[in-house]
Amino acid sequence: MNKKRTWYEKVGDFISGKGFYLVVLVCVAAIALSGFYLVQGVRGNLAGNLDDQPVAGSAQITETQKPSPTPSVQPSVQPSAQPSASPKPTVTPEPTVTPKPTAPTTTPASLVFTWPVKGTVIAGFSVEALAYDETMGDWRTHDGMDIGATLGTQVMAAANGTISALYQDDLMGTTVVIDHGSGLTSVYSNLAEVPTVAVGDQVSTGDILGSVGNTAVAESGRDSHLHFAMYQDNTAIDPTAYLP
C-alpha cells in the first residue's frame, strides 16, 4: 500500500533532483540582480553627493606681486656756492686822549682875527693857576691878557661881530663886548670912558671901538694897557689861540 507523500517530502525530492540546479540558478540570478542594483545605487549616491556638496575647504590664490622697479634717484646737481667776498672788518682806531683845548674846537666861519692893540703882553691868561696881582696884593686867576699900550691908543675889534654890551665895571672899568656868533665873544676892558660904538652896532675886523684908558681899578697898579679876554659859551678861553 502506497504511503501518501507530504508537501515537504515532495519539495525535498525536487530539490534533491533537477530542482536543485534550478534553485541554484535562481539564487545566482537573484544575487546578480541584487548586485547590479546595489552597484547602481552606490554610483547614484556617490554622484549625488559629489554634485550637491561643495568641496570642503577654501582654495586661496596668492598672487605674488612683482616688485616694482625702484627708480634710481639721480642726485640733484646743486650749483656750487660761489664764495662771497667777506667784508673786511672795520678797524676801529683806539681813541686817543686829546688834551683839553684852550680854544673852542669850532670857530665861526669867515672870522679873521687881529690883535686889538699892538704891544707887549704884560700879564698872560691864567685860570688854572693863581697869578700875583700887584694892585690887589694877592694871588688870583686872570681871565684874559693885558697888552701894554700907551693911553689913547686906539683899540680895534678883534673880528667881525655885533656889539652886545657896553658898560662900566666896578673893577675893570669901561668895557665893550662883541658877539662873534656860535657862543664866541670878545671883551675889551680898561677903555677910556667914551667908546666910539654903541650896543647893536655891526663891526668888522679892525674897526675902532675906543681907546686905551685907566678905568680899571683892579689893574691900576700895572703899566697902561688893554685888558682883552675871550669867552666860549661863557667860559674863559686863552685869546692867543685865535690871535695871529
Side-chain angles (χ1 to χ4, degrees):
M1 171 177 187
N2 294 331
K3 185 180 179 181
K4 188 177 181 181
R5 296 174 64 83
T6 63
W7 182 81
Y8 290 106
E9 291 177 344
K10 291 180 179 179
V11 171
D13 291 339
F14 177 78
I15 292 173
S16 63
K18 296 179 180 180
F20 174 76
Y21 297 103
L22 181 60
V23 171
V24 172
L25 180 60
V26 172
C27 290
V28 171
I31 291 172
L33 183 59
S34 297
F36 173 76
Y37 282 109
L38 178 60
V39 172
Q40 292 297 328
V42 171
R43 288 181 177 179
N45 291 334
L46 291 176
N49 290 335
L50 293 175
D51 294 339
D52 297 338
Q53 294 182 1
V55 179
S58 58
Q60 296 182 354
I61 300 175
T62 304
E63 180 181 356
T64 303
Q65 296 182 352
K66 294 182 178 180
S68 59
T70 303
S72 60
V73 179
Q74 296 295 334
S76 58
V77 179
Q78 298 292 337
S80 60
Q82 295 296 330
S84 59
S86 300
K88 294 182 179 180
T90 303
V91 179
T92 304
E94 296 183 357
T96 57
V97 179
T98 304
K100 183 178 179 181
T102 56
T105 55
T106 57
T107 301
S110 67
L111 284 182
V112 178
F113 287 85
T114 187
W115 285 73
V117 292
K118 304 300 181 182
T120 302
V121 177
I122 60 177
F125 173 81
S126 178
V127 294
E128 295 180 356
L130 297 177
Y132 183 74
D133 189 323
E134 301 87 346
T135 304
M136 306 301 295
D138 58 10
W139 295 83
R140 61 181 61 200
T141 60
H142 194 226
D143 65 348
M145 56 189 300
D146 294 343
I147 307 171
T150 58
L151 291 176
T153 301
Q154 291 183 333
V155 176
M156 299 176 291
N160 297 349
T162 303
I163 304 298
S164 59
L166 195 161
Y167 56 90
Q168 294 292 328
D169 187 88
D170 293 340
L171 295 178
M172 300 306 298
T174 304
T175 301
V176 172
V177 180
I178 299 178
D179 183 0
H180 302 287
S182 301
L184 181 66
T185 57
S186 58
V187 180
Y188 310 79
S189 299
N190 197 31
L191 297 174
E193 293 184 357
V194 182
T196 58
V197 292
V199 174
D201 289 351
Q202 298 292 323
V203 294
S204 300
T205 304
D207 284 354
I208 303 302
L209 304 177
S211 60
V212 175
N214 57 1
T215 57
V217 176
E219 296 182 349
S220 60
R222 295 176 181 170
D223 295 339
S224 176
H225 65 275
L226 169 71
H227 179 87
F228 177 66
M230 293 188 69
Y231 290 82
Q232 177 66 54
D233 298 323
N234 296 321
T235 299
I237 57 177
D238 189 350
T240 58
Y242 288 93
L243 299 178

